[in-house]
Amino acid sequence: MLRVAVVGSGPSGVYTAQSLVQQDRLPGVRVDVLDRLPCPYGLVRYGVAPDHEKIKSLQNNLRTVLEHDRVRFIGGIEIGPDGPPPARLLELYHAVVYCVGAAADRHLGVPGEDLPGSYSATEFVSWYSAHPDAKADGFVRGVESAVVIGVGNVAVDVARMLARGVDELRPTDMPQEALGALAESQVREVHMVGRRGPSQARFTTKELRELGSLPDTEVVVDPAELALDPAYADTAGLPAAVRRNIEVLRGWAERPVLGLPRRIRLRFFLRPVAVAEAAGRVGGVRFERTLPD
Ligand SMILES: Cc1cc2nc3c(=O)[nH]c(=O)nc-3n(C[C@H](O)[C@H](O)[C@H](O)COP(=O)(O)OP(=O)(O)OC[C@H]3O[C@@H](n4cnc5c(N)ncnc54)[C@H](O)[C@@H]3O)c2cc1C
């Protein structure tokens, strides 16, 4: 009987297990899905934002796979230097498939990046997702404004969590510690900053648009900054998804500022060059203007 180990129980690992037990050419194959964490589902559990319940409910499909009678989930086992080495798995199984995701952060490489108050998205997301590795830092305590560097969907998640009122988060599975800190949050300004233009931003339209529907929050976009992007004036040659993003941004840019209690400011063509210090922690971020490619 063929025995396979799948390392990692995120969606790639679980769908690998599913595909193996569904193979007609591998009758009776048994699959052990191993994970360093005690609970399965990887970033579906610990990354996808708590207010995106529909995507999070993918965990139900993944659970069905792990409950298959020829699939076993074994949590709390890290393959590598801190646990059994890969060679040991090869002694125990006929094949090993690694589905370990991308856990490491990329660093900006600018001075001040390591100051207290400067975090990677992984740290912040882990905190509001109750990841076992999360630091209980409070993150938003004593903070009135935040800068989110990046203009992809993770940046949108982070900006939304900072601006979304806690009442809307209470019914989610967000941990109490994060809910408590967000309930007391004084964050009024969230700046989301990309080093390139709106036509190169990586967010998807649905996620972007959602920022405009948060209670007591308005999205502010400077039309002059959007116009720095040569594609802004004439979107005809752009892929449909990018065109839709630009139209959402254009709608916000053309609207008068309403003065709502919270603002998300979307900024483009700005590259961080230093994180400035004030009273031993982050006091600001210095940017330089970039040029369109
Ligand atoms: C903040 C955030 C929000 C996201 N939101 C969405 C969204 O809304 N919609 C969407 O479609 N996608 C979203 N994604 C992307 C999605 O979560 C990932 O694409 C997906 O989870 C990747 O699956 P994976 O199985 O490759 O890796 P992961 O989900 O990262 O799973 C890898 C697993 O491997 C385990 N592992 C790692 N190393 C070892 C080891 N040495 N030994 C044992 N186990 C190990 C980890 O503990 C983890 O459980 C989001 C990602 C992030 C970071």
Side-chain angles (χ1 to χ4, degrees):
M1 183 201 13
L2 189 69
R3 295 185 57 83
V4 180
V6 173
V7 183
S9 67
S12 357
V14 175
Y15 287 129
T16 299
Q18 180 179 48
S19 148
L20 283 165
V21 293
Q22 285 175 346
Q23 295 278 333
D24 292 338
R25 288 174 300 164
L26 300 175
V29 60
R30 292 192 170 269
V31 184
D32 284 348
V33 180
L34 316 174
D35 205 291
R36 74 178 191 86
L37 299 177
C39 299
Y41 318 135
L43 284 174
V44 177
R45 181 188 287 258
Y46 296 118
V48 172
D51 59 340
H52 280 178
E53 280 111 348
K54 192 159 170 230
I55 304 170
K56 275 205 116 63
S57 71
L58 175 69
Q59 291 177 89
N60 298 330
N61 302 9
L62 302 180
R63 193 184 64 227
T64 309
V65 177
L66 295 183
E67 286 173 353
H68 188 285
D69 55 9
R70 282 185 283 121
V71 177
R72 263 195 318 182
F73 171 71
I74 306 175
I77 179 155
E78 178 161 3
I79 306 307
D82 296 327
R88 179 70 184 130
L89 291 186
L90 288 172
E91 289 166 7
L92 297 170
Y93 297 93
H94 297 102
V96 183
V97 186
Y98 287 89
C99 304
V100 291
D105 289 320
R106 283 174 60 198
H107 294 274
L108 288 173
V110 301
E113 189 178 358
D114 297 323
L115 280 169
S118 165
Y119 309 103
S120 69
T122 308
E123 290 170 302
F124 185 61
V125 170
S126 295
W127 172 68
Y128 70 62
S129 302
H131 191 292
D133 294 348
K135 287 192 277 184
D137 187 283
F139 290 88
V140 292
R141 290 223 162 88
V143 172
E144 289 176 8
S145 66
V147 178
V148 179
I149 296 173
V151 282
N153 279 347
V154 172
V156 172
D157 275 1
V158 168
R160 196 178 67 254
M161 284 302 127
L162 287 168
R164 199 188 262 301
V166 78
D167 289 343
E168 294 201 317
L169 296 171
R170 261 188 243 286
T172 71
D173 64 0
M174 185 176 270
Q176 202 54 44
E177 207 268 327
L179 276 177
L182 289 171
E184 290 167 17
S185 166
Q186 296 300 309
V187 174
R188 297 288 171 260
E189 292 263 346
V190 178
H191 305 260
M192 197 172 126
V193 188
R195 69 192 154 99
R196 299 205 287 166
S199 67
Q200 289 142 331
R202 306 299 296 175
F203 39 56
T204 48
T205 312
K206 182 166 170 280
E207 276 65 26
L208 176 65
R209 205 178 266 138
E210 197 180 355
L211 292 180
S213 63
L214 303 178
D216 296 331
T217 302
E218 63 187 318
V219 182
V220 179
V221 189
D222 177 0
E225 203 164 65
L226 293 183
L228 294 174
D229 191 329
Y232 182 63
D234 178 12
T235 57
L238 295 174
V242 177
R243 218 165 43 232
R244 284 196 296 272
N245 282 349
I246 297 221
E247 291 321 314
V248 172
L249 293 168
R250 195 190 305 279
W252 287 330
E254 288 172 354
R255 232 175 29 185
V257 177
L258 302 170
L260 295 182
R262 287 186 290 263
R263 271 169 304 282
I264 299 175
R265 292 185 188 274
L266 292 184
R267 305 293 312 269
F268 296 96
F269 294 114
L270 291 170
R271 177 193 297 130
V273 291
V275 179
E277 185 246 307
R281 54 176 289 123
V282 171
V285 183
R286 208 161 46 246
F287 291 90
E288 68 182 11
R289 181 63 81 194
T290 62
L291 294 172
D293 292 343

